[in-house]
């Protein structure tokens, strides 16, 4: 069984909730756990859950973010579910967070562009997730920037803590790219007060992490297990 959990995203400057990220989890004998790869999840399940989840959230928030890899983003069933979800959320925004996973290497940026243009025409937005890791370096994603509204840097992708000067330099680098390109920049993985204070110091407004709220189950049916 798969379900979406939701985690709040904040604007720290005005202390407001800007949206929720949908995080998919699988029920196991050890409790709810994230899948090793999104590609492990059947497309039909993602499409069904996405439509159900956004119908529950439509009156609660400013935006909904959902993670998809390149292969999933090109799938017709998921595309139809995205369109239904955006129609349910309107005038709120569905923010599609593009992730990189093994197996996506054959889908190049040129393949994505027509799909991204259709998303924009339907009122959706695109976030490039996990910038600064793997293939998500500026030279690799630069040609997608015209289609993008947001860059997300995930602190949890690195062994070093946010207090490490090298990690801070990476965060500043991507914060400045977002500013240069007139994009939102969200910092994910804020775990404690020290991280929060450092984000203040670096003038990062948009944040996500356990310090502000852990993911919790979004029940779409009354009998959904906890």
């Amino acid at each position: 069984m798969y379900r979406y959990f939701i985690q709040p995203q904040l604007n720290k400057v005005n202390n407001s909730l800007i949206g929720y990220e949908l995080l998919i989890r699988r029920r196991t004998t050890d409790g709810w756990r994230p899948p090793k790869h999104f590609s492990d999840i059947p497309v039909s399940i993602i499409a069904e859950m996405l439509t159900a989840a956004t119908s529950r959230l439509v009156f609660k928030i400013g935006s909904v973010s959902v993670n998809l890899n390149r292969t999933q983003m090109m799938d017709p069933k998921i595309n139809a579910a995205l369109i239904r979800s955006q129609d349910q959320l309107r005038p709120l925004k569905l923010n599609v967070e593009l992730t990189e996973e093994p197996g996506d290497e054959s889908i190049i940026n040129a393949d994505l562009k027509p799909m991204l243009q259709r998303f924009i025409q339907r009122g959706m937005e695109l976030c490039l997730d996990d910038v600064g890791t793997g293939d998500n370096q500026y030279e690799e994603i630069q040609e997608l920037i015209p289609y993008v509204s947001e860059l997300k840097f995930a602190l949890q992708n690195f062994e070093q803590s946010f207090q490490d000067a090298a990690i801070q330099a990476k965060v500043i680098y991507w914060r400045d790219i977002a500013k240069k390109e007139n994009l939102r920049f969200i910092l994910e993985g804020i775990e404690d007060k020290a991280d929060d204070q450092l984000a203040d110091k670096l003038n990062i407004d948009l944040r996500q992490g356990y310090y502000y709220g852990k993911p919790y189950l979004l029940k779409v049916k009354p009998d959904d297990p906890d």
Side-chain angles (χ1 to χ4, degrees), residues 112-129:
L112 288 174
K113 288 179 181 179
M115 188 71 65
L116 299 181
Q117 186 61 48
R118 287 197 289 274
F119 286 172
I120 293 169
Q121 290 171 351
R122 297 301 295 249
M124 299 178 226
E125 293 186 340
L126 179 73
C127 168
L128 294 181
D129 200 0

Side-chain angles (χ1 to χ4, degrees), residues 71-91:
T71 302
Q72 291 166 337
M73 190 173 287
M74 299 293 289
D75 187 275
K77 287 184 179 178
I78 291 182
N79 271 260
L82 289 170
I83 291 171
R84 287 196 301 272
S85 296
Q86 179 58 75
D87 289 345
Q88 288 177 158
L89 289 169
R90 201 176 305 279

